[in-house]
Amino acid sequence: MHQTHSAALEINLLHANQEGADHNRSHFNSWGITCLNIMSSPGAGKTTLLERTLSVLTSELKIAVIEGDMNTELDANRLRQYGIPVIAINTGRSCHLDSQMVAGGIHQLENKHNPTELDLVLVENVGNLVCPAEFEVGEHFKVALLSITEGEDKPLKYPIMFQAADCLLITKIDLSPYLDTDINHIVANVRQMNPGVKIIPFSAKTDEGLDTWCDWVKTQVKSNYHLDIKGTK
């Protein structure tokens, strides 16, 4: 059976993007940096999670952020208040970051800072539950967020995101008493898609789950260190 033109074009785009992602990852590896790709639908709490993360981990790790948004630098400016390098990327009409966009962010980071001094780069992707999961940007680990306000069925309706995730944060759990959403049902649906994913219930209001999340991040950085990714430092 012959491929349709659109299917062939999609395969070519994904192949070219993967080559770029591998190139980006080689930069991160050579500098001894661990990269996390943070993904979710709009409003699930990615920027708030990064704010809470930076408030804890900047005393232990050297961190930079590549901040993706369709328009404005509002989120980037929120994160700059933590005194770390933040590179803003506006994607325009594109609903996700791709490896070429992140390559541009990496070059900006290299021009303005010494990347060999960094331990961790957090990429905040554009809010979308579909495309970001398909387009790697050079990350070592994928992190997905799902707020309990989005309902229990999202892992079943948007499986690629949850199948791809290495870690999933169920956010806004402080709202649980006011909703009919059952966190256990969310967990069960996620496990159908990805039995081995790390799941962390999280509240930015109460900081429940923050220590668990930060410990997970530090573990990934340390594991990359022991794989000699930091051999040049």
Side-chain angles (χ1 to χ4, degrees), residues 116-128:
T116 64
E117 295 179 352
L118 296 172
D119 301 301
L120 177 66
V121 167
L122 301 169
V123 175
E124 182 176 350
N125 220 308
V126 177
N128 189 307

Side-chain angles (χ1 to χ4, degrees), residues 13-78:
L13 284 172
L14 288 173
H15 179 72
N17 182 79
Q18 187 61 53
E19 288 185 339
D22 293 341
H23 183 71
N24 291 347
R25 191 177 297 108
S26 70
H27 278 297
F28 290 134
N29 289 348
S30 68
W31 294 327
I33 292 172
T34 299
C35 179
L36 306 183
N37 186 2
I38 315 293
M39 304 175 290
S40 78
S41 61
K46 293 187 299 299
T47 308
T48 301
L49 172 67
L50 293 189
E51 288 179 315
R52 301 302 301 126
T53 303
L54 295 174
S55 71
V56 174
L57 289 184
T58 50
S59 63
E60 301 180 54
L61 299 173
K62 299 295 185 182
I63 304 173
V65 173
I66 296 177
E67 175 65 42
D69 213 337
M70 294 182 76
N71 292 290
T72 82
E73 293 192 14
L74 293 174
D75 290 344
N77 288 335
R78 284 169 60 182

Side-chain angles (χ1 to χ4, degrees), residues 167-178:
C167 181
L168 170 73
L169 289 98
I170 302 175
T171 61
K172 305 185 182 182
I173 60 171
D174 50 284
L175 296 177
S176 183
Y178 311 104

Side-chain angles (χ1 to χ4, degrees), residues 34-229:
T34 299
C35 179
L36 306 183
N37 186 2
I38 315 293
M39 304 175 290
S40 78
S41 61
K46 293 187 299 299
T47 308
T48 301
L49 172 67
L50 293 189
E51 288 179 315
R52 301 302 301 126
T53 303
L54 295 174
S55 71
V56 174
L57 289 184
T58 50
S59 63
E60 301 180 54
L61 299 173
K62 299 295 185 182
I63 304 173
V65 173
I66 296 177
E67 175 65 42
D69 213 337
M70 294 182 76
N71 292 290
T72 82
E73 293 192 14
L74 293 174
D75 290 344
N77 288 335
R78 284 169 60 182
L79 300 177
R80 287 183 177 121
Q81 297 179 46
Y82 292 85
I84 64 161
V86 178
I87 305 299
I89 300 176
N90 286 148
T91 65
R93 297 178 64 180
S94 180
C95 59
H96 61 90
L97 291 172
D98 61 27
S99 60
Q100 185 175 2
M101 295 176 193
V102 171
I106 290 171
H107 291 311
Q108 288 187 56
L109 189 65
E110 187 177 13
N111 289 335
K112 296 178 181 179
H113 307 277
N114 181 359
T116 64
E117 295 179 352
L118 296 172
D119 301 301
L120 177 66
V121 167
L122 301 169
V123 175
E124 182 176 350
N125 220 308
V126 177
N128 189 307
L129 272 181
V130 182
C131 300
E134 295 191 278
F135 285 80
E136 289 197 9
V137 298
E139 71 273 16
H140 296 98
F141 303 99
K142 292 181 172 66
V143 177
L145 279 64
L146 176 67
S147 74
I148 64 168
T149 59
E150 296 174 75
E152 301 164 0
D153 60 355
K154 291 301 182 292
L156 306 179
K157 296 174 70 173
Y158 300 92
I160 294 176
M161 175 66 73
F162 299 94
Q163 289 167 347
D166 298 291
C167 181
L168 170 73
L169 289 98
I170 302 175
T171 61
K172 305 185 182 182
I173 60 171
D174 50 284
L175 296 177
S176 183
Y178 311 104
L179 301 172
D180 293 329
T181 306
D182 187 331
I183 294 177
N184 291 326
H185 287 170
I186 295 176
V187 171
N189 289 337
V190 171
R191 292 291 184 209
Q192 285 189 54
M193 299 297 103
N194 188 345
V197 66
K198 173 73 172 180
I199 298 178
I200 303 173
F202 174 74
S203 168
K205 292 291 186 182
T206 67
D207 281 345
E208 181 177 348
L210 180 61
D211 287 344
T212 303
W213 158 247
C214 289
D215 286 344
W216 184 87
V217 173
K218 289 187 289 186
T219 296
Q220 309 323 305
V221 173
K222 186 179 294 186
S223 69
N224 278 349
Y225 184 95
H226 288 303
L227 288 172
D228 289 330
I229 288 176

